[in-house]
Amino acid sequence: ITPQNVIDKFPFASDANATDVGDVLAARVGTAGASSTSNGYNAGGQPNYNTIEKFPFAVDGNSADVGDLTQWQQLVEYLESEQADLGSPTRIHLNAGIQIAPPDAPLSAYQLEAATLERYRRMMSVNVDGVVFGLQTLLPLLAPGAAIVATASLAGITPYAIDPLYAMSKHAVVGLVRSLAPDLTKRDIRIHALCPGAVDTEIIPHAQKTKDAQFMTPEDLAKDVIELMAEKESGKSWVRLRTDKPRYVIRAPGDKTG
C-alpha cells in the first residue's frame, strides 16, 4: 500500500538508544511519493528524506520527546496550521521504545533491583507516555479509514526476564491497543500492535549480541508496518519471530473475532 500521511514517532533518547525502524519506514513511504514525518522532519518523498524540512517543535537539533505532551500538541498545531501541507494523518506509526538500561550496560543493570528512578521514568515516558500522548492528540484528527500501528514487542505478550520493566511497558501497549479497538472500529479506524522478536537495533543490550544470536533487520519490521496499515482486523497483536517465518496473530483470551 502507499500510505498518504504517516506520523512516525520513535525514541528520541538522549543516550542514543534509538531504534531505526522509523528511519526505514520513512524512507520506504517517502520514496513511494507519500507524505510522512519522522524524527522531526518532513519526509515528503524527496531523495534526502531526512534532511528536508525541520519541524519547529523539534528539539536537540532534529528530534522531539515523545514523552512530552506539549510537543505532541505542538505537532497537532503544526498539522493544523497553514504552513503544513500534509493534511490530516491517515496512517500513524507509534514506534517509540527503549530498554531500562543503555545497551553497553551489563545485563545485571536491566534487573528490577538495579533500576534507578531516572531510568524507570525515562523508559515509561518513551514506551508508554509516547503511545498514550500520541493517540490522545492525533486520534481527534483521524477520519474514517485511518490506520494505526503501535510497535510493542514479543516482550509485550511473553515474559522477558532480561528486562522485566521493559516487558511491563510493552504489555501496557498491547493492552491499550486491545482496549481501544472496539470504539475505534465504530469510527472505521483500525489499530494494531506489532510484537517483533529480536531486531538488530541500538536498544539491544550488547551482551545479547553474541555470535549465535539471530536478529531480524529494521527493514523486515518496516515491511510489516506498511502491510498492517491495510489489515482489516483491529486490536490484534501481530508477532514476527524471524525473517523467514510468517507474521501471525495472538488474540486476547476470549477474542473470537475474525
Side-chain angles (χ1 to χ4, degrees):
I1 65 170
T2 304
Q4 295 177 354
N5 299 311
V6 178
I7 301 302
D8 174 39
K9 305 299 291 183
F10 52 98
F12 307 107
S14 58
D15 57 3
N17 286 352
T19 185
D20 47 8
V21 175
D23 284 324
V24 175
L25 180 62
R28 286 185 176 223
V29 174
T31 54
S35 297
S36 67
T37 65
S38 176
N39 205 24
Y41 290 93
N42 179 15
Q46 303 298 321
N48 297 320
Y49 68 90
N50 62 338
T51 57
I52 302 176
E53 178 186 0
K54 192 180 301 181
F55 284 156
F57 58 83
V59 296
D60 296 331
N62 66 350
S63 63
D65 183 355
V66 295
D68 184 344
L69 178 58
T70 298
Q71 293 188 44
W72 281 106
Q73 292 167 338
Q74 290 172 338
L75 169 61
V76 171
E77 291 172 2
Y78 178 84
L79 291 174
E80 293 179 333
S81 70
E82 294 182 357
Q83 59 181 317
D85 58 1
L86 293 174
S88 297
T90 60
R91 303 289 185 265
I92 296 173
H93 181 209
L94 297 160
N95 190 47
I98 60 174
Q99 293 197 221
I100 195 66
D104 58 354
L107 292 182
S108 59
Y110 290 80
Q111 292 303 295
L112 177 67
E113 297 84 353
T116 65
L117 180 60
E118 180 182 6
R119 286 180 175 177
Y120 172 73
R121 295 296 185 203
R122 178 58 182 160
M123 186 198 69
M124 294 300 289
S125 175
V126 173
N127 294 6
V128 178
D129 294 351
V131 176
V132 172
F133 294 160
L135 291 171
Q136 190 177 51
T137 53
L138 294 175
L139 277 175
L141 305 182
L142 301 190
I148 304 162
V149 175
T151 301
S153 170
L154 185 63
I157 54 173
T158 64
Y160 181 44
I162 288 176
D163 192 344
L165 291 173
Y166 175 81
M168 178 187 71
S169 69
K170 291 302 185 176
H171 273 74
V173 173
V174 168
L176 182 62
V177 167
R178 287 172 171 174
S179 301
L180 287 175
D183 282 343
L184 291 180
T185 297
K186 297 174 185 177
R187 294 176 52 188
D188 191 26
I189 296 172
R190 301 178 305 279
I191 186 168
H192 316 283
L194 179 58
C195 301
V199 183
D200 190 11
T201 67
E202 291 301 318
I203 74 168
I204 298 294
H206 294 170
Q208 282 191 281
K209 293 188 174 183
T210 64
K211 64 178 182 178
D212 296 324
Q214 294 185 343
F215 294 94
M216 293 177 286
T217 68
E219 288 81 3
D220 296 326
L221 273 297
K223 181 175 183 291
D224 281 332
V225 171
I226 292 173
E227 291 176 354
L228 284 177
M229 293 296 181
E231 173 58 47
K232 297 303 181 184
E233 284 198 84
S234 188
K236 304 301 185 285
S237 304
W238 294 90
V239 176
R240 167 79 69 179
L241 293 179
R242 289 172 25 187
T243 302
D244 60 347
K245 296 292 183 181
R247 182 177 65 244
Y248 63 93
V249 68
I250 296 290
R251 300 179 186 278
D255 179 4
K256 296 180 172 59
T257 62

